[in-house]
Amino acid sequence: MDTPNVRGPEALGLPEAPGLIAGSNAQLTELLRLMADGDRAAFSEFYRLTARRVFGMAKRVLIDTGLSEDTAQEVFIQVWQNAGKFDPNAGSPLAWLMTITHRRAIDRVRSAQSATEREAKYGAASQNLDHDSVEEEASGRLEAEAVTRCLGTLTETQLESVRLAYYGGLTYREVAEQLGAAIPTIKSRIRDGLLRLKTCLGVS
C-alpha cells in the first residue's frame, strides 16, 4: 500500500507545544479502520486531529524541532502502514499513537547516543580528550539508562498513566478519559508510579 505524503507540523501551522486533541475515541477508531482499507481521506483527517499531540510528545523527548518533525512524520507513516493492527480492545487510539511516538522518539535518542559514542571512540584514539567532558557525558548516559531501567519497574497501568501525563502532556481528566478510568484512580496511579520512580532512582 503506497504511503500518502506526510507534511510536517509546520505545514499546518501547528505550534511547537502540544495542543488539545480533537475527535473522540470512536471517531479515531473509525478513521483507523478506514485507513486499514487504504482510505487516504481518513488518513488526512486522522493526521489533522492528532498531529499536534504527536509533535508535542516528540518535542518533549527530543527537544530539537527538526528531529521532532522528522519523528512525527515517521510516526504517521508507521500508523498508515499498521492501522490494521490497532486493537480497540487493548486501549484507546491516542494511547496507541502516543506509545508509537514515544518509542520512535526514544529510538532517535538511542541512535544519537550511539553516534556520539562512535565519535567519542574515534576522538579518544586520535587525541587527548578533556576528562571532565567525558565524565559528564558518561554520567548523563548512565542517568538516562537508570531512568529507562526504573520505568521498567512500574506496573503497566502506572507506566501508561505516567507516559500520557508527562510525555503526552495530558491533564488528569484527559488521561482518565483516554484510559477509561476515574480521575482519582488516575491520580493514584501517577502518584504511586512517581513514588516508585523516586525510590528506584534514589531521589529523596
Side-chain angles (χ1 to χ4, degrees):
M1 175 167 66
D2 293 336
T3 302
N5 292 328
V6 181
R7 296 169 292 170
E10 76 289 345
L12 294 181
L14 302 181
E16 293 186 2
L20 294 176
I21 187 170
S24 64
N25 285 334
Q27 181 182 13
L28 295 178
T29 298
E30 176 62 14
L31 289 173
L32 284 168
R33 185 190 69 78
L34 294 172
M35 287 161 58
D37 293 331
D39 190 323
R40 290 170 177 264
F43 174 83
S44 296
E45 180 65 5
F46 185 89
Y47 176 86
R48 185 184 70 81
L49 293 173
T50 60
R52 284 185 176 85
R53 185 67 74 191
V54 169
F55 178 71
M57 172 177 275
K59 187 73 182 295
R60 281 173 178 267
V61 177
L62 296 167
I63 308 301
D64 181 86
T65 299
L67 288 177
S68 301
E69 291 172 352
D70 291 344
T71 299
Q73 291 184 21
E74 292 174 358
V75 167
F76 282 107
I77 289 173
Q78 182 176 344
V79 168
W80 169 255
Q81 294 172 340
N82 296 278
K85 295 181 180 179
F86 170 69
D87 180 5
N89 296 317
S92 70
L94 182 59
W96 180 71
L97 182 62
M98 292 298 96
T99 297
I100 292 175
T101 305
H102 183 258
R103 287 174 180 169
R104 280 280 181 178
I106 292 299
D107 285 345
R108 282 269 183 175
V109 172
R110 289 173 177 166
S111 177
Q113 287 177 338
S114 296
T116 300
E117 289 171 3
R118 288 195 298 270
E119 291 174 1
K121 289 178 180 178
Y122 174 79
S126 61
Q127 61 182 342
N128 292 325
L129 295 178
D130 182 86
H131 292 292
D132 291 338
S133 176
V134 174
E135 182 178 354
E136 182 179 344
E137 180 183 342
S139 176
R141 190 159 59 244
L142 289 174
E143 288 178 4
E145 291 174 354
V147 171
T148 300
R149 173 175 56 79
C150 288
L151 282 172
T153 68
L154 302 185
T155 65
E156 184 175 346
T157 55
Q158 288 173 343
L159 181 59
E160 188 171 25
S161 298
V162 170
R163 277 181 174 172
L164 288 175
Y166 287 90
Y167 287 103
L170 273 66
T171 64
Y172 286 131
R173 182 178 299 278
E174 289 175 315
V175 174
E177 290 175 352
Q178 293 303 322
L179 299 183
I183 293 178
T185 299
I186 293 301
K187 288 183 177 180
S188 177
R189 288 179 186 174
I190 293 174
R191 183 182 64 250
D192 293 345
L194 292 178
L195 287 174
R196 182 174 292 189
L197 281 176
K198 288 182 178 180
T199 301
C200 179
L201 292 169
V203 178
S204 58

